[in-house]
Amino acid sequence: FRKASAVSMCPSASNVELCRAVFHLDEARAGAHDVVKISAMLRSLAAQRGIRLPLIRSLLPDPFRNCLFSHGDSPGQEEHIVICLHGFGDKAPPYSRLLEAMKIPSSASVSLNGPLEVCPELLDNPPGFSWFHFFDEKAGDFISPSPTETRRLDSLDGTVEMLRQLMEQLLASGWQR
């Protein structure tokens, strides 16, 4: 926390130091008020320089706080961000490694786990995640689609809201539309 705080008050900090400060801030376990205050100062410095910061995970919805962010070849200067959403029962790390191996020019990446953990008995390689409810625990079977069944859509609405919050954090960190 002290490293992030010191960098946020140092106008001569390098672009790389600003980006690293975000990681220090996430590791700090500081109070929410302090995180918001320091992140605003870091974002202000970054905006003055036109650089893009990594996501401040502690400001994301809980299920996305374990996202995997990777800078491109010039931290803070990337022109694009690739957001990777896995398929049913999968997880973020393999996609993060794939994106790093691809070395997409001028691009950073963020890989997310779905907000819902899939029952390990349904998977070959747990843990795995889903973007919406698909399994009826009481019936012990998949949710059947029907005009009156709303559990999948309701949970998907919640996921869409969390993704909207993620996009707001990206915009606040300098990633323009």
Side-chain angles (χ1 to χ4, degrees), residues 10-103:
C10 180
S12 64
S14 72
N15 293 350
V16 172
E17 288 172 322
L18 279 175
C19 292
R20 284 187 187 145
V22 170
F23 291 112
H24 292 304
L25 185 59
D26 274 332
E27 294 170 358
R29 308 243 188 275
H33 175 73
D34 291 331
V35 170
V36 169
K37 180 180 170 185
I38 300 298
S39 66
M41 293 166 71
L42 290 170
R43 287 172 170 171
S44 175
L45 276 174
Q48 290 170 17
R49 297 180 187 183
I51 68 167
R52 295 165 176 88
L53 293 176
L55 283 165
I56 299 171
R57 292 184 312 227
S58 55
L59 298 178
L60 296 175
D62 284 341
F64 293 163
R65 289 185 178 176
N66 62 352
C67 70
L68 302 172
F69 184 94
S70 180
H71 272 294
D73 46 5
S74 6
Q77 300 297 314
E78 299 92 343
E79 296 175 30
H80 314 283
I81 187 160
V82 178
I83 301 171
C84 192
L85 308 177
H86 61 74
F88 169 77
D90 213 341
K91 49 193 160 256
Y95 297 93
S96 181
R97 289 190 299 271
L98 172 68
L99 290 167
E100 285 179 16
M102 291 173 67
K103 298 183 190 269

Side-chain angles (χ1 to χ4, degrees), residues 156-170:
L156 191 55
D157 285 344
T159 298
V160 168
E161 174 56 25
M162 287 186 267
L163 289 168
R164 187 194 61 73
Q165 291 172 28
L166 172 93
M167 296 302 160
E168 283 181 1
Q169 290 300 319
L170 284 169

Side-chain angles (χ1 to χ4, degrees), residues 115-157:
L116 304 167
E117 192 161 352
V118 175
C119 179
E121 293 81 20
L122 297 173
L123 302 172
D124 292 331
N125 186 22
F129 301 88
S130 177
W131 300 98
F132 58 90
H133 287 292
F134 63 92
F135 197 75
D136 185 332
E137 302 276 337
K138 291 178 186 173
D141 201 359
F142 291 94
I143 297 172
S144 297
S146 77
T148 59
E149 175 55 65
T150 63
R151 288 177 287 180
R152 292 190 297 181
L153 284 176
D154 292 345
S155 65
L156 191 55
D157 285 344

